[in-house]
Amino acid sequence: MLVRIVGQAPLAATVYSLERLRCGACGQVFTAQEPEGVGPEKYDETAAAMIAQLKYGAGTPFYRLEQLESQLGIPLPAATQWEIVEEEAQVIKPARDELIRQAAQGTVVHNDDTGMRVLMLKRDPKDERTVCSPAASYLSTRAGRSRFTSLEAVMLARTSQRC
């Protein structure tokens, strides 16, 4: 098996210069038709998908994509990127709303933003270090059931427990 990888810009642009001719008798201007397969829309759906993937999937800010595309000769301002993504997001809004609805019906909340290896799960009760924050609190038990049912309960647990 042979694999060949080539580089390309995240977005590509093609400029179509349509011929325009003016009638010598009446002065009316006639413009050539666009090539087949090229619609009247300036931005393709795939461009919107790529911009959204770079922004929300890869974490590339709009201004950084603007700089990259500018270096490649494609003017694409950050505000225009936002407008493109916002317009196309309306198409998937029902799916997004359903995912939010289903997530709201869940019974287990997991929250673990630990960025290091955990050597001990519990501190010694005599340890006088800081009280647990809501982000560090155990929001689910090993059995997978939620220990807290409301924000108030989490806040109460935060002030009364140690990690």
Side-chain angles (χ1 to χ4, degrees), residues 4 65-66 85 100 115 148 158-159:
R4 179 166 170 80
L65 181 57
E66 175 184 1
V85 172
I100 291 172
F148 306 109
R158 175 185 161 204
T159 57

Side-chain angles (χ1 to χ4, degrees):
M1 178 181 349
L2 178 64
V3 177
R4 179 166 170 80
I5 300 173
V6 296
Q8 66 183 33
L11 300 169
T14 304
V15 177
Y16 296 97
S17 295
L18 303 178
E19 278 191 23
R20 298 175 66 171
L21 300 173
R22 181 185 315 266
C23 175
C26 67
Q28 186 177 0
V29 176
F30 297 94
T31 305
Q33 292 181 351
E34 64 258 356
E36 286 190 33
V38 177
E41 300 87 21
K42 185 173 184 177
Y43 301 101
D44 189 60
E45 295 85 8
T46 59
M50 179 56 75
I51 294 169
Q53 177 61 33
L54 287 169
K55 169 67 174 169
Y56 301 107
T60 306
F62 288 141
Y63 77 90
R64 202 166 286 154
L65 181 57
E66 175 184 1
Q67 291 172 347
L68 172 65
E69 291 297 323
S70 175
Q71 292 169 353
L72 298 171
I74 301 171
L76 187 63
T80 302
Q81 294 173 49
W82 169 253
E83 291 169 359
I84 293 168
V85 172
E86 182 182 33
E87 182 179 318
E88 292 297 323
Q90 299 306 316
V91 175
I92 61 168
K93 188 175 184 312
R96 174 188 155 270
D97 292 344
E98 178 60 20
L99 289 172
I100 291 172
R101 189 193 69 74
Q102 287 185 19
Q105 305 307 314
T107 58
V108 178
V109 176
H110 294 283
N111 185 12
D112 183 10
D113 59 356
T114 305
M116 65 194 135
R117 188 175 189 178
V118 177
L119 300 176
M120 281 181 35
L121 291 178
K122 293 187 178 182
R123 289 186 184 165
D124 186 335
K126 296 175 186 171
D127 192 342
E128 295 296 324
R129 286 186 277 179
T130 60
V131 174
C132 293
S133 69
S137 298
Y138 295 104
L139 295 180
S140 63
T141 64
R142 285 187 183 160
R145 291 183 298 273
S146 178
R147 248 173 86 182
F148 306 109
T149 57
S150 68
L151 180 59
E152 182 179 335
V154 172
M155 297 306 289
L156 287 173
R158 175 185 161 204
T159 57
S160 64
Q161 289 184 346
R162 301 212 179 263
C163 291

